[in-house]
Amino acid sequence: TRPFPTGRSNEHQTPNNDGFSFQVHHVNAQEQTIVLKRWLRPLEEDKIPPYCTHQVGAAGLVLSDQNELLLIKEWRGPPSNRTKSLQWKLPGGLLDAGESLEEGCRREVMEETGVSCEVESVLTFWHRHGLTFGKSDFYYVCLLKPNGGTDIQID
């Protein structure tokens, strides 16, 4: 999907018979944008999600049996000049479509740290507005325990 200003919508041609036509996905009058879409697998179910109003994310507060806390530093900048951020953070990110909170939290921790965990409980969450693409955000922090008494190794 690609938004473009509605004031220039007449500049975008949508051919009808050459196999490259687009469908209107949604219109955002406030931002004056129209988003068009094209599913590229015509023999398969269209899996482009409908226009969403929220995104959902989760972070894992991972505590070992020795009360060690697992934190990460993210890399910033373009691949040619990456540097570690100065701040420490909990591993986490956005859930994939159809993924449960528990699955997404475990996946994010595994992807970012390599530590396999089980979710114990939800600790807190917040709801913010006006983020990426003007969407609202639900973000959960869950308590996780490493599987099999795994010690958290320090790099």
Side-chain angles (χ1 to χ4, degrees), residues 26-40:
H26 67 272
V27 176
N28 185 326
Q30 184 177 11
E31 293 179 14
Q32 296 186 346
T33 59
I34 298 172
V35 175
L36 303 176
K37 71 164 188 138
R38 171 141 169 62
W39 182 248
L40 298 176

Side-chain angles (χ1 to χ4, degrees), residues 8-78:
R8 296 186 306 173
S9 62
N10 62 341
E11 295 175 15
H12 185 77
Q13 301 297 317
T14 55
N16 293 325
N17 297 321
D18 65 2
F20 292 103
S21 60
F22 291 86
Q23 297 173 326
V24 173
H25 186 265
H26 67 272
V27 176
N28 185 326
Q30 184 177 11
E31 293 179 14
Q32 296 186 346
T33 59
I34 298 172
V35 175
L36 303 176
K37 71 164 188 138
R38 171 141 169 62
W39 182 248
L40 298 176
R41 296 177 177 167
L43 301 178
E44 295 181 25
E45 174 188 2
D46 182 343
K47 295 184 180 180
I48 297 175
Y51 182 67
C52 66
T53 59
H54 290 74
Q55 60 185 16
V56 180
L61 192 146
V62 181
L63 281 177
S64 72
D65 291 338
Q66 295 77 35
N67 284 330
E68 297 168 303
L69 176 62
L70 181 61
L71 298 172
I72 64 169
K73 285 189 174 187
E74 289 187 311
W75 291 94
R76 303 277 185 211

Side-chain angles (χ1 to χ4, degrees), residues 99-114:
E99 190 172 44
S100 73
L101 178 61
E102 184 176 305
E103 292 166 339
C105 195
R106 286 194 326 252
R107 177 187 51 76
E108 284 290 341
V109 170
M110 175 60 90
E111 284 179 2
E112 295 185 7
T113 69

Side-chain angles (χ1 to χ4, degrees), residues 57-61 89-93 105 108-109 126 139-144:
L61 192 146
K89 73 175 226 56
L90 298 173
C105 195
E108 284 290 341
V109 170
W126 56 86
Y139 204 82
Y140 295 82
V141 178
C142 299
L143 175 64
L144 283 79

Side-chain angles (χ1 to χ4, degrees), residues 118-124 141-144:
E118 290 301 320
V119 174
E120 298 281 320
S121 65
V122 173
L123 296 173
T124 190
V141 178
C142 299
L143 175 64
L144 283 79

